[in-house]
């Protein structure tokens, strides 16, 4: 992640994320990982962009028997990730490796310059590698809650097509998840 995105030590509500939110979302996190891995082709070099406290990385490691490298800007979360055995970098530019599979869940919406971050991800992906993004949808649902947790935006298919085209990606699959949730939120 670019250093100009967030203060590395001021992650939005990190204690609640680690101690309350993530543990109570086991089914949700497993579902996200199942969606992410539905396009995984047994790649060997995996990158988790915006790993947080490692909830998804731990599930990916269990399900694939491969340990993803983690990118995380928050120093506290970096220390947790290191303690549980992950290779961790505070900025994507710090890793010299190339990856054949990169995933990111609920991160890009926190980054002001999402196009720049996608370009950075593209530079770390091998030719014909796979990037999976899990993002909040529908700008019309953007609310005070989004603002309070540091979201700059929500995404439409049109925006994803635009920014991925600008950054050199080809989209193989794109779909909305949780249609019922849309109507509840609206």
């Amino acid at each position: 992640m670019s250093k100009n995105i967030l203060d590395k030590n001021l992650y939005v509500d990190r204690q609640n994320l680690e101690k309350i939110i993530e543990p109570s979302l086991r089914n949700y996190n497993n579902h996200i990982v199942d969606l992410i891995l539905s396009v995984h082709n047994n790649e060997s070099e995996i990158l988790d962009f915006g790993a947080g406290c490692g909830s998804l990385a731990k599930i990916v490691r269990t399900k694939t028997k491969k340990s993803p490298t983690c990118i995380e800007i928050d120093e506290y979360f970096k220390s947790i990730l290191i303690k549980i055995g992950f290779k961790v970098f505070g900025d994507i530019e710090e890793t010299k490796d190339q990856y054949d599979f990169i995933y990111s869940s609920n991160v890009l919406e926190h980054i002001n310059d999402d196009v720049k971050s996608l370009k950075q991800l593209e530079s770390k992906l091998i030719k014909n590698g796979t990037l999976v993004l899990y993002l909040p949808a529908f700008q019309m649902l953007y609310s005070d809650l989004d603002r309070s947790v540091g979201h700059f935006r929500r995404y439409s298919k049109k925006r994803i097509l635009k920014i991925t085209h600008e950054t050199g990606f080809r989209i193989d699959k794109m779909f909305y998840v949780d249609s019922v949730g849309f109507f509840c939120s609206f």
Side-chain angles (χ1 to χ4, degrees), residues 105-116:
S105 173
N106 293 306
V107 173
L108 208 57
E109 68 274 12
H110 292 273
I111 301 172
N112 189 31
D113 191 347
D114 54 354
V115 172
K116 179 180 178 183

Side-chain angles (χ1 to χ4, degrees), residues 41-81:
N41 293 315
N42 227 10
E43 293 90 349
S44 58
E45 297 299 324
I46 302 171
L47 180 72
D48 181 333
F49 181 72
C53 58
S55 298
L56 299 185
K58 288 186 286 189
I59 298 168
V60 167
R61 181 169 58 190
T62 299
K63 289 186 177 202
T64 65
K65 307 295 186 240
K66 295 177 178 135
S67 191
T69 298
C70 297
I71 304 297
E72 178 52 53
I73 62 171
D74 185 272
E75 294 298 328
Y76 176 72
F77 286 152
K78 281 170 59 178
S79 70
I80 290 172
L81 291 162

Side-chain angles (χ1 to χ4, degrees), residues 16 38 59 72 140 168:
N16 281 336
S38 71
I59 298 168
E72 178 52 53
M140 72 174 80

Side-chain angles (χ1 to χ4, degrees), residues 24 60 127:
S24 67
V60 167
K127 185 178 169 119

Side-chain angles (χ1 to χ4, degrees), residues 142-156:
Y142 187 87
S143 68
D144 288 339
L145 177 61
D146 286 290
R147 196 171 297 104
S148 72
V149 296
H151 291 181
F152 286 98
R153 75 197 68 73
R154 287 173 158 262
Y155 288 87
S156 64

